[in-house]
Each structure stands twice: as structure tokens, then as C-alpha cells.
Amino acid sequence: MAAAMPLPLFLLLLLGPGGRCLAEPQRDSLREELVITPLPSGDVAATFQFRTRWDSELQREGGLSVLLKADRLFHTSYHSQAVHIRPVCRNARCTSVSWELRQTLSVVFDAFITGQGKKDWSLFRMFSRTLTEPCPLASESRVYVDITNYNQDNETLEVNPPPTTTYHDVILGTRKTYAIYDLLDTAMINNSRNLNIQLKWKRPPENEFPPVPFLHAQRYVSGYGLQKGELSTLLYNTHPYRAFPVLLLDTVPWYLRLYVHTLTITSKGKDNKPSYIHYQPAQDRLQPHLLEMLIQLPANSVTKVSIQFERALLKWTEYTPDPNHGFYVSPSVLSALVPSMVAAKPVDWEESPLFNSLFPVSDGSNYFMRLYTEPLLVNLPTPDFSMPYNVICLTCTVVAVCYGSFYNLLTRTFHIEEPRTGGLAKRLANLIRRIRGVPPL
Amino acid sequence: MGLLSDPVRRRGARPPRAAPQTALPVAWLERTMRAVGLEVHTQSFSRKLPFPDETHERYIVSGTNVYGILRAPRAASTESLVLTVPCGSDSTNSQAVGLLLALAAHFRGQIYWAKDIIFLVTEHDLLGTEAWLEAYHDVNVTGMQSSPLQGRAGAIQAAVALELSSDMVTSLDVAVEGLNGQLPNLDLLNLFQTFCQKGGLLCTLQGKLQPQDWTSLDGPLQGLQMLLLMVLRQASGRPHGSHGLFLRYRVEALTLRGINSFRQYKYDLVAVGKALEGMFRKLNHLLERLHQSFFLYLLPAISRFVSIGLYMPAAGFLLLVLGLKISSLHEAGVGLEEPGGSPGPSVPLPPAQGMGLASLVAPLLISQAMGLALYVLPVLGQHVAAQHFPVAEAEAVVLTLLAIYAAGLALPHNTHRVVSTQAPDRGWMALKLVALIYLALQLGCIALTNFSLGFLLAATMVPAAALAKPHGSRTLYAALLVLTSPAATLLGSLFLWRELQEAPLSLAEGWQLFLAALAQGVLEHHTYGALLFPLLSLGLYPCWLLFWNVLFWK
């Protein structure tokens, strides 16, 4: 189930402390960074980012890359890698350009497997390594830990070692607080020669439900059988009072023939007409269906978008070697400006000047979200692929036996053979005469 | 239960039973599944049965299903497997719930899962399973009111249903026959049998052990016994376990029952759990849906099967008898048109084809109307009958069924007053021709979809149908026809079934079982969509009435 959880998976901090985007970037700079965010469900998301600004890449040793051990990273629930390359200007007039390479790895650790059911975690438990020394080539090497929810009461949990500095920001519509551990800070490493960040819950958290994001979606195929079905998408808006529009983009392969007249969108039991529909029908074997709609989701509701389809019979050679596995339908893409509830700055009407009331309250708390639903697997009617072999065997047998017998009967000629009389001498003489080509005796 | 019980006790309105006797501990199941690490959802459903169900003692049913989804790590949730434990008031199946939770806890810690696994606990056994399946596939086939599902896991590839009566088992019984005689792919049964052999478990089919000695006569005789049991179970069209309801949605499924009998060697649940774990790991490896092996087969033993190519000719030959009779009747009818005529078997009389066709319409319409009455009236008229007679609704339905069935026997004596007396004497041949064609078509279609039902009905009805004629000893033919009517076939097969299971019935018990089977048949048609009741009432009973008309042709 795709969810718009506030995951800082692609958090990019170009502004480090002491760095401004207008100043000339240092020629040899490697910045590495690890952001650890506990997710509401108890799982832990860790994002590594390594950014170099060189004309060529240099090897990294030490630092955060000691944590990249494959056997632990592939025991995770989710991982994603990305490489971004872009040119950056070296000075304000952009007369010379250098290349920036950014490598990102995001993993989500399963709390159940790594933490054995408890919500505590530590670097050693996640990566089976601790941080020992900073990378000698790095100009910046930091670990950020998201301690937003836990900032208020220090009695519930404890972060070990206690952070020296914190960083505040508004990410995805919510205020977040990060604890910073700087590996280049000699005081951090010198104490114990290794850094193992741990989080312990002093009071076990109640078994409550994780908070539900404001926008999430689900997609599934209804119906059974190999002839027809129905594609249904459920869009959930869990915001208590704000309605917002969502752009839904569906790309359905041509072999699921959509019946657009059966497109129905219902919210809270009533019909919901989209403000904008763009539909491009499919052409067999050339292009898929394209359906794009702008749907207004009412507050605190579930919207169901459903469209019926018929499964097509493919040509013999178009089937994959494993047609009974099914054929995939790409996920639909939802794009929305999701409102946030908490990041709105509370306006103190007594302190602020009077002209503030002339301007609308700037929320500033919408954030853009692109959401992908799950991919689907549909079975198409598959023929029996052993039939050509059966037909060839049968027809060849029939042809050989029947036609062969008939041909034999029709074209066989009969010769009358004289009975052989005479002794051995006559037979020998006949043999010699036959060799000579003379009629026998 | 029973019609022979005291009617005084049953007088008066019976209040509908709304509260279940043993409800599912939903909150505890949710908490435990969440503690094990699954993604838990619940689903509520409710259904008012057409009439009170005497065997399961329920009328207005409402319940909650609980299911937990184990999401496979790093997989896209496109496919899933299901382990389901049906819980009902008559079989609490609590040991199976315990095994399900233990397996869930074990599976959660593994990293090799490529498909999601759904652990499903249903209430009111098969009703809950049907509600869950309908909500999962977002269809409404049987009129069940079920709340929509919150969590899904893609397309279901295979399912295993588990029923355990105690914590020590001596053998595992497997059930393959599903709703309307559908069967899962034979590969699934072979998978189970392989793991039974690996784990040293004793596995049984139809409740009987496997015949060991195939060289002497004992082995084949036992195999024949098990084959007949499977034919009878498949012909009844009942879902023998939760797996039967999965098959409609083309999800291969099996039911495993742990039996605790008086054997010395017992296995604990660890052995059963190991077999299940092995099965699920193998199903996890599947790249495609199970399609390689047979879908249509008969099992004389768990490791032997008879494929459709071998058994279908049997039904074909029976229908050939009908075909030959049809062609001979057609010949006799055509031969009478010529004045010389081929030597027919009876007295030649001038045929009146036009008159013959017109006189056919009345018997056909009346028979079909009787069939329609048999299908519709019992359930519709149960309240009326319960008011006027001192019977409960279920008994009213069964009695109405029997009454309409017997009323059909009185028909020929009445329709002749309706039909004009100008009907020619040879009109019975035209009627028999039409009836034979009708019977052949129906039996052919039934044999294609549910071979056991088709064969059973053909074996009983074809001889009587081919022999029916108004001349000769009418009482003998009438007795033969009554003995091979659909209801009598049902009664006979019940006795045969219990005889094969080595628990023979006395006549009174057999009659009670017959009445219960009638009620169950009607109920299952309305709750699961079983097709035996409409086939017999709307298809075969009118056809049989036509032959009864032929027999009593004046």
C-alpha cells in the first residue's frame, strides 16, 4: 500500500553550516551524510548521501561507507539507490562549470526483524558496524537523527550519546527536529573511538495505531474469470476538514480493453464528477490507454474510481514464455498538493500589526506529493501451447497411415512370376545370361 | 431435528437465532496478530438465510472475519498465498488457530518470501469464507452483505484450509472436491503428498488409508471404493471445506483435516507445521499459476489418478445409447410417412406430423411449469406453509419439495383431459424423441462440467428413458422409472455413500439423512451458488416427467 508518509528519503541539504549557495563551491569537497528517521510503524529509514564536486571521483575510505555492508542492507524491507549528476557553476558568472555527483541509498529496516519486536534500535543492530573515524577526504561528515516526536518529553526515550547540536526545519509540511552528530568533531570520536547511536524507549510505547497519512491510495482488480474485470482505485483523504484536488494518471496496456463509458467515481456514496478528464484510447500493439483526471477529494472520505475492462486474446507469438504468470499493469500516479495541519504558523493577532488582517493567512504548509499505487498482475486467456505439437503428430500419423495405404493400394502393380524349374546348372547359366543382358532360358 | 420428532414441540413461531453461540474473539486475534508483526484487518458480514438451517442451527448470520497480511520484503505485493482456518460454532477449530499464529510468527522472521501471505480466520466457517472472497474480488455472487476490505495483497495464487480437532493427530485427511464438482490442480495434491512422505506423516483420502497391495485383488477393490466415494462427493456439488469456495475464483486450494483416531502413533503439531511450511515455501517459488497438471481427474488413491481421457468415454457410451435410440425413433417416424414403409416394430398408422407437434407443446409446457414450481415454490411458500401446518420453516420447505415432486406423478392422468383427444396414437413417439433429445443435451452438458454428476445421472436415467413406452407391462416400467428418478437416485446414492464409508444406514436414518440433504441442497444453492438443486429441479425433473407422460400415454 503506497503511503504518503513524511519520509525524508530524498532530503537534500545543500546548505551545510557555514556554506552558502552563492559562494564559490570548494573545488575538492566531499560531503557525506546519513539521515535516520524512525517511521510511525516502528521501522527505521536510513538514507545515505554522498556528494562530490570534482572533475573525477576519488575513492572514499572510512567515514560513513563503513556502514554499507551488503548482508545487512539486503535484510531490509525496502531499498532504493539513485545517482544524480548535474553541472554546477564555479562562480557567479558561470564561466567555468564543474560536475556534481550525488549518490543516494535509502533503506527501510524492518523493526520486527532487526529489533526483535521492540522499538529500540542502534547503529550496530542495523548495520552490524559502528562509526570509527571520519573519511579523511570528506569536508563534511554528519549523521542526522530525527527526534521530532520525542523532543518534548525526555522521560519516554533516550538517545545515546546525547546530541550536542540540533537542527530545525519544516519538511513536507511538518516541523522536524534533527539531532546532529558531526564525525569531524574531534570531541565526538575521541571519547570512545567509536560512535554507536542508540535509541532506547524507557517506557514501552502503547500498542497504538500508527498515524495515517493525509493521502494514500490502493488499487486492485475486481471480478474473476478470464473474460472481463474491473480496475478499481481507492483514494483516501484523511484530512479532517480540508478537501484538495488530486491528479490521477493511469496508463493501462492495450490488451485490457477499457470501457470508458463504465468509468464511475464515487465519494461518500455520491457521484463525483472530475474537473478535467483527458483520455487517449489505445491502439492495438502500438500504444496503451492514457487516462488523466483531476478529482476533488472531499475531506475525510474515500473516493472510488472504477472502470471495467475486457481481456484481449493475444496473437500466438505475442505471449511471453510464462503467460500463466500474468501481465503487469503499471501503477497509477497521483500528484497532489497535500495540505498540512500543523506547520501553519499560529498568528498572534494582539502582537502583529493591524494591516496583517488585510492579507489572507498564508498557510505555506502545502507540499507537493507524487504517489504511486501498487502494480497489478492480471491473467489473460492463454491457449494450450501444446496443441501445435499434438496437431502435427496427429496429422503426420494420419497422413502416413491412411494416405500411405491408399497410395500403396492404388499404385501397386502385380507381376506374374514363373516358377523356377531346373537344377543348379540351369540356374547358374541363367545368372550368367542375366549378367550378359540376354534373356534367360 | 427430524420430521418424525414431536410436532407438539414445534408448534408456534420459532424466534430467529441472531446471536452466535461461540463468537470469534476478534479483539484478541487482532492484538495477537499485530504482536506477531502482521498487518491486521477485519471484515464484518451478515446474511439472512432463506430458511433456518437445522444442521448448523443458524438463521440470521452475522460475523467478523479477521485476517493478517505478511508483506513480503522488497516485493511489490502483486501475488499472495492464503492460509485459512474456518471457525464455526460446531467445530471451534481452536488448535488450528494456534498453529496459524505459530506459523505466522515463524514466517515473519524469514527473508525468502516473494509473495505476501494472508492468514485468514473466518467466522461461521464457509459463510465467512464466501463473504471474504466476495469482498476481496469485489463481486456479489450470492447476496451476502459484506463490508469492503481495507487491505489487499494482489492476486491470490493458492490457498490451504486447515481444520484440526485436537493437538495430536494420527493422520491428515485431504479434501479436493469443491463447489459444483470443481477440482484444484493435481499438482497441489501431489505437493501435499510429497511433504507427507517427507515428514513421515500418514495422509488419507476420503478418510481411508491408501491401499498397499496392488497386485492382488484387495488393492484395486479398495481403490474402486475410494473412486466411488470421490464420484459421489463430486456429484453432490457441495464444497467439502473452505477450499471449495476458492476454486470458483480460480485459486487452487486444498483442505487439510487433522484426524485424531485410535492409533498408537501420533504426531504433534510441529510435524503438521513442518509440512505446511514446506508447502508454503514451494508455493512461494512458483513463477506461474499452477496449470501444468490435470484439472479434471478421479482419484482411486492419493498417489494414483484417472485422467479425463480415460473416463470420459464411459459417459460417451451412455449418451451413445440415447443417440441410437433417438435415431431409431426418427427412422420409425420417418418410415411411417411412406405408404410402403420400412418394416417398423409396431402397427403402421397414418401419422399426423402437424397434429403430433401441437400435442407435444402441452406436455412440455406443463412439465417445465412443474419444474419451475419445484424450484420456486418451496422457499417462497415456506411461511404460508408454516402458518397452516405445525411444521418449522425448514421442514415446510422439504415437505413442499416432496409434495410437488409427488404431484408430478399424478400429471399424466390430468393432462389428458387438457390435451384434445385427437392426439394420434403414435404421438408418444414424437414426445419420446423430444424427451430423449432433451435428456441427451442436458446430460452431455452436465457431464462436461461435472463428470461425476453426469455419469451418475446417465447411469440411472438412460436405461429407464430408453425403455419407456406405453405398451407392455406398465407397472414394471413405471417402477423402473420411479426408481431411477432424480430423487430416488439421490436417496440411493446416500445409502451407497454411507455403505462405502463402512457406516451403513438403517431405513429410518437414511430417510432422515435424505430430508436433511434436500434442505442442505436448497440452502447451498442460495448461499454458495451450488447448481445441483436448479439442475435437478429445472432440468432433469421436467425431462423425467416427459418420460412419465410417455409411459402413461393413452
Side-chain angles (χ1 to χ4, degrees):
Chain A
M1 195 167 80
M5 294 195 189
L7 301 173
L9 285 178
F10 303 110
L11 174 63
L12 173 63
L13 291 177
L14 279 181
L15 297 176
R20 291 270 170 235
C21 49
L22 290 178
E24 188 174 311
Q26 295 172 7
R27 197 189 139 73
D28 307 319
S29 70
L30 160 69
R31 290 181 59 178
E32 55 180 25
E33 187 178 279
L34 166 63
V35 182
I36 302 181
T37 308
L39 298 178
S41 60
D43 303 336
V44 182
T47 306
F48 293 84
Q49 288 210 57
F50 303 93
R51 199 198 75 190
T52 66
R53 279 203 178 134
W54 270 298
D55 296 322
S56 64
E57 195 197 329
L58 295 183
Q59 294 284 4
R60 284 187 297 280
E61 311 153 351
L64 293 177
S65 21
V66 296
L67 296 178
L68 298 176
K69 288 295 161 214
D71 58 338
R72 297 301 298 169
L73 287 179
F74 284 110
H75 273 54
T76 53
S77 296
Y78 169 85
H79 72 271
S80 157
Q81 288 171 273
V83 172
H84 301 256
I85 301 180
R86 63 169 189 168
V88 289
C89 300
R90 291 241 197 109
N91 50 23
R93 278 192 308 264
C94 218
T95 44
S96 60
V97 164
S98 68
W99 288 92
E100 173 188 279
L101 165 73
R102 191 154 53 89
Q103 297 162 305
T104 312
L105 168 69
S106 305
V107 292
V108 177
F109 286 92
D110 196 353
F112 210 79
I113 297 181
T114 48
Q116 280 96 41
K118 297 195 287 278
K119 284 194 172 182
D120 303 342
W121 55 265
S122 72
L123 273 187
F124 188 76
R125 244 194 230 158
M126 291 196 297
F127 301 103
S128 70
R129 291 281 186 288
T130 55
L131 294 166
T132 47
E133 57 176 7
C135 177
L137 297 170
S139 59
E140 217 176 274
S141 186
R142 295 213 184 106
V143 178
Y144 291 80
V145 181
D146 183 351
I147 52 172
T148 311
N149 297 335
Y150 321 134
N151 217 3
Q152 265 58 31
D153 38 20
N154 288 327
E155 288 90 36
T156 46
L157 65 91
E158 171 196 336
V159 181
N160 213 354
T164 46
T165 46
T166 54
Y167 170 74
H168 303 268
D169 204 348
V170 176
I171 309 283
L172 287 182
T174 45
R175 292 191 183 285
K176 296 237 179 211
T177 309
Y178 292 88
I180 307 181
Y181 298 87
D182 196 344
L183 292 181
L184 292 173
D185 188 0
T186 45
M188 178 84 37
I189 300 282
N190 266 350
N191 290 342
S192 52
R193 288 309 296 171
N194 73 352
L195 177 64
N196 183 20
I197 304 173
Q198 291 167 320
L199 187 120
K200 280 206 208 353
W201 286 85
K202 286 204 198 136
R203 192 181 63 210
E206 299 93 35
N207 206 1
E208 69 213 10
F209 301 105
V212 186
F214 286 142
L215 173 68
H216 62 279
Q218 234 190 341
R219 201 172 186 221
Y220 56 93
V221 174
S222 333
Y224 60 94
L226 287 176
Q227 193 205 350
K228 50 186 168 37
E230 189 173 341
L231 270 181
S232 306
T233 313
L234 290 175
L235 308 168
Y236 294 86
N237 175 6
T238 54
H239 200 284
Y241 51 85
R242 290 277 295 270
F244 55 88
V246 157
L247 190 67
L248 174 68
L249 175 70
D250 260 327
T251 312
V252 181
W254 66 268
Y255 39 79
L256 300 184
R257 303 187 197 280
L258 296 180
Y259 289 104
V260 187
H261 74 281
T262 56
L263 175 67
T264 46
I265 308 174
T266 40
S267 310
K268 290 186 178 175
K270 291 200 296 273
D271 210 20
N272 183 358
K273 209 164 136 48
S275 349
Y276 163 78
I277 298 188
H278 169 65
Y279 174 64
Q280 198 174 18
Q283 291 177 19
D284 275 7
R285 301 172 185 87
L286 286 179
Q287 68 180 35
H289 300 269
L290 182 75
L291 181 62
E292 195 171 10
M293 293 182 285
L294 186 67
I295 307 173
Q296 189 80 11
L297 300 184
N300 211 14
S301 67
V302 180
T303 305
K304 182 170 179 188
V305 180
S306 61
I307 183 166
Q308 291 180 9
F309 65 85
E310 199 183 54
R311 302 171 205 230
L313 196 61
L314 300 180
K315 284 187 188 167
W316 185 259
T317 45
E318 285 171 359
Y319 283 103
T320 52
D322 56 349
N324 281 284
H325 175 68
F327 290 77
Y328 285 103
V329 181
S330 344
S332 36
V333 186
L334 299 162
S335 318
L337 272 175
V338 184
S340 156
M341 204 161 53
V342 294
K345 215 165 29 173
V347 180
D348 195 354
W349 292 111
E350 297 304 317
E351 300 286 330
S352 56
L354 287 174
F355 62 81
N356 254 352
S357 59
L358 294 174
F359 306 113
V361 176
S362 65
D363 217 319
S365 57
N366 281 1
Y367 57 95
F368 176 74
M369 165 93 61
R370 179 165 285 141
L371 202 59
Y372 295 87
T373 59
E374 54 259 271
L376 301 173
L377 195 62
V378 292
N379 272 82
L380 292 184
T382 49
D384 184 2
F385 291 99
S386 63
M387 278 318 286
Y389 163 78
N390 293 339
V391 168
I392 290 173
C393 283
L394 196 65
T395 47
C396 288
T397 311
V398 165
V399 164
V401 172
C402 297
Y403 176 69
S405 316
F406 275 122
Y407 180 76
N408 224 0
L409 284 174
L410 288 174
T411 56
R412 187 180 292 172
T413 57
F414 293 91
H415 303 280
I416 299 177
E417 183 104 351
E418 294 289 328
R420 293 247 177 94
T421 52
L424 182 62
K426 193 167 179 198
R427 264 190 253 154
L428 207 58
N430 273 339
L431 188 70
I432 295 170
R433 289 173 87 98
R434 212 180 322 145
I435 292 172
R436 283 171 52 201
V438 172
L441 294 169
Chain B
M1 176 272 176
L3 294 175
L4 300 184
S5 62
D6 187 8
V8 177
R9 202 162 50 85
R10 297 180 187 281
R11 211 164 276 147
R14 184 196 294 259
R17 291 196 178 96
Q21 275 140 335
T22 52
L24 207 61
V26 173
W28 178 84
L29 267 176
E30 269 189 278
R31 256 198 337 265
T32 319
M33 282 189 179
R34 205 165 271 130
V36 164
L38 305 177
E39 183 187 310
V40 185
H41 303 277
T42 55
Q43 183 224 1
S44 60
F45 63 94
S46 70
R47 173 81 206 232
K48 182 165 164 225
L49 299 178
F51 53 89
D53 185 358
E54 297 278 332
T55 39
H56 298 286
E57 294 182 354
R58 56 193 182 195
Y59 181 41
I60 299 180
V61 173
S62 70
T64 316
N65 297 330
V66 183
Y67 63 105
I69 308 181
L70 188 156
R71 298 282 181 195
R74 299 188 310 282
S77 289
T78 48
E79 305 163 292
S80 53
L81 305 167
V82 176
L83 176 62
T84 175
V85 166
C87 293
S89 48
D90 43 349
S91 65
T92 45
N93 221 0
S94 43
Q95 304 289 339
V97 174
L99 184 59
L100 175 124
L101 292 171
L103 281 173
H106 176 71
F107 287 174
R108 184 69 175 86
Q110 313 298 330
I111 58 163
Y112 45 70
W113 297 111
K115 305 183 178 15
D116 293 352
I117 306 186
I118 304 179
F119 296 92
L120 172 66
V121 180
T122 58
E123 200 169 357
H124 299 294
D125 41 79
L126 292 179
L127 282 175
T129 313
E130 182 64 31
W132 188 83
L133 281 169
E134 284 189 10
Y136 194 89
H137 293 92
D138 210 8
V139 292
N140 198 350
V141 183
T142 61
M144 177 93 62
Q145 289 124 24
S146 45
S147 65
L149 290 188
Q150 308 289 324
R152 284 182 165 81
I156 305 180
Q157 307 287 302
V160 176
L162 190 61
E163 291 176 25
L164 292 175
S165 46
S166 71
D167 56 343
M168 304 288 278
V169 295
T170 53
S171 59
L172 274 179
D173 191 48
V174 62
V176 290
E177 304 86 3
L179 186 65
N180 294 330
Q182 261 189 306
L183 298 170
N185 201 305
L186 195 55
D187 271 339
L188 199 55
L189 185 68
N190 294 342
L191 180 70
F192 167 68
Q193 201 240 337
T194 313
F195 277 102
C196 273
Q197 271 186 334
K198 262 195 190 173
L201 287 172
L202 194 66
C203 45
T204 61
L205 186 68
Q206 320 288 350
K208 292 184 183 303
L209 293 173
Q210 303 311 302
Q212 305 295 331
D213 186 15
W214 286 96
T215 50
S216 73
L217 200 56
D218 283 336
L221 269 184
Q222 277 186 30
L224 182 64
Q225 231 180 356
M226 290 172 64
L227 191 74
L228 278 178
L229 273 172
M230 179 166 174
V231 164
L232 289 172
R233 284 173 82 155
Q234 202 186 0
S236 70
R238 311 184 64 190
H240 295 275
S242 294
H243 74 287
L245 300 171
F246 279 86
L247 294 173
R248 193 214 318 260
Y249 303 93
R250 210 57 260 164
V251 174
E252 315 300 335
L254 276 184
T255 296
L256 304 179
R257 291 198 179 95
I259 313 253
N260 193 3
S261 62
F262 298 104
R263 294 180 78 82
Q264 204 173 10
Y265 197 76
K266 291 187 194 284
Y267 308 91
D268 61 351
L269 289 185
V270 174
V272 180
K274 278 189 191 163
L276 280 172
E277 184 202 356
M279 283 180 74
F280 269 86
R281 282 192 76 167
K282 277 260 176 156
L283 290 171
N284 180 43
H285 288 161
L286 282 178
L287 288 175
E288 304 179 85
R289 281 181 189 260
L290 285 169
H291 71 283
Q292 306 279 12
S293 186
F294 293 89
F295 285 103
L296 302 163
Y297 48 87
L298 290 175
L299 299 169
I302 204 173
S303 49
R304 286 163 191 259
F305 73 97
V306 183
S307 87
I308 186 166
L310 287 178
Y311 64 65
M312 198 48 110
F317 282 125
L318 280 173
L319 295 180
L320 189 64
V321 169
L322 283 182
L324 290 174
K325 198 70 191 170
I326 288 171
S327 61
S328 83
L329 272 179
H330 186 63
E331 283 286 320
V334 163
L336 286 173
E337 282 187 30
E338 304 152 15
S342 53
S346 340
V347 179
L349 276 180
Q353 293 288 1
M355 189 77 75
L357 280 179
S359 72
L360 284 181
V361 170
L364 274 173
L365 278 182
I366 296 178
S367 314
Q368 209 62 46
M370 283 301 292
L372 197 64
L374 190 66
Y375 177 67
V376 160
L377 276 184
V379 178
L380 270 189
Q382 55 170 309
H383 297 294
V384 173
Q387 273 172 12
H388 292 286
F389 300 101
V391 287
E393 286 99 338
E395 290 161 354
V397 169
V398 171
L399 287 176
T400 320
L401 270 177
L402 289 174
I404 298 180
Y405 196 89
L409 296 181
L411 262 188
H413 309 285
N414 297 325
T415 52
H416 279 285
R417 298 193 196 119
V418 173
V419 175
S420 64
T421 51
Q422 295 172 22
D425 202 23
R426 306 289 293 208
W428 69 268
M429 289 179 84
L431 183 62
K432 187 170 174 187
L433 184 68
V434 169
L436 282 173
I437 294 177
Y438 193 24
L439 184 67
L441 280 176
Q442 276 184 17
L443 287 179
C445 294
I446 295 176
L448 282 177
T449 52
N450 186 351
F451 167 78
S452 306
L453 183 64
F455 183 77
L456 202 61
L457 289 170
T460 49
M461 287 185 76
V462 162
L467 288 175
K469 58 178 187 279
H471 314 294
S473 62
R474 262 196 193 167
T475 42
L476 193 65
Y477 285 139
L480 182 67
L481 206 55
V482 166
L483 278 179
T484 56
S485 70
T489 310
L490 179 61
L491 186 62
S493 45
L494 276 176
F495 276 103
L496 179 64
W497 177 57
R498 289 298 288 265
E499 187 70 42
L500 287 171
Q501 282 191 327
E502 285 149 23
L505 293 169
S506 63
L507 273 179
E509 287 174 3
W511 181 251
Q512 299 281 28
L513 196 61
F514 175 63
L515 297 176
L518 284 179
Q520 282 294 308
V522 179
L523 209 56
E524 277 174 8
H525 168 63
H526 287 278
T527 48
Y528 311 129
L531 290 177
L532 184 66
F533 174 55
L535 273 176
L536 287 185
S537 61
L538 289 175
L540 283 160
Y541 177 63
C543 200
W544 182 84
L545 273 185
L546 288 176
F547 287 108
W548 189 253
N549 271 334
V550 165
L551 192 59
F552 285 97
W553 192 268
K554 286 259 188 307

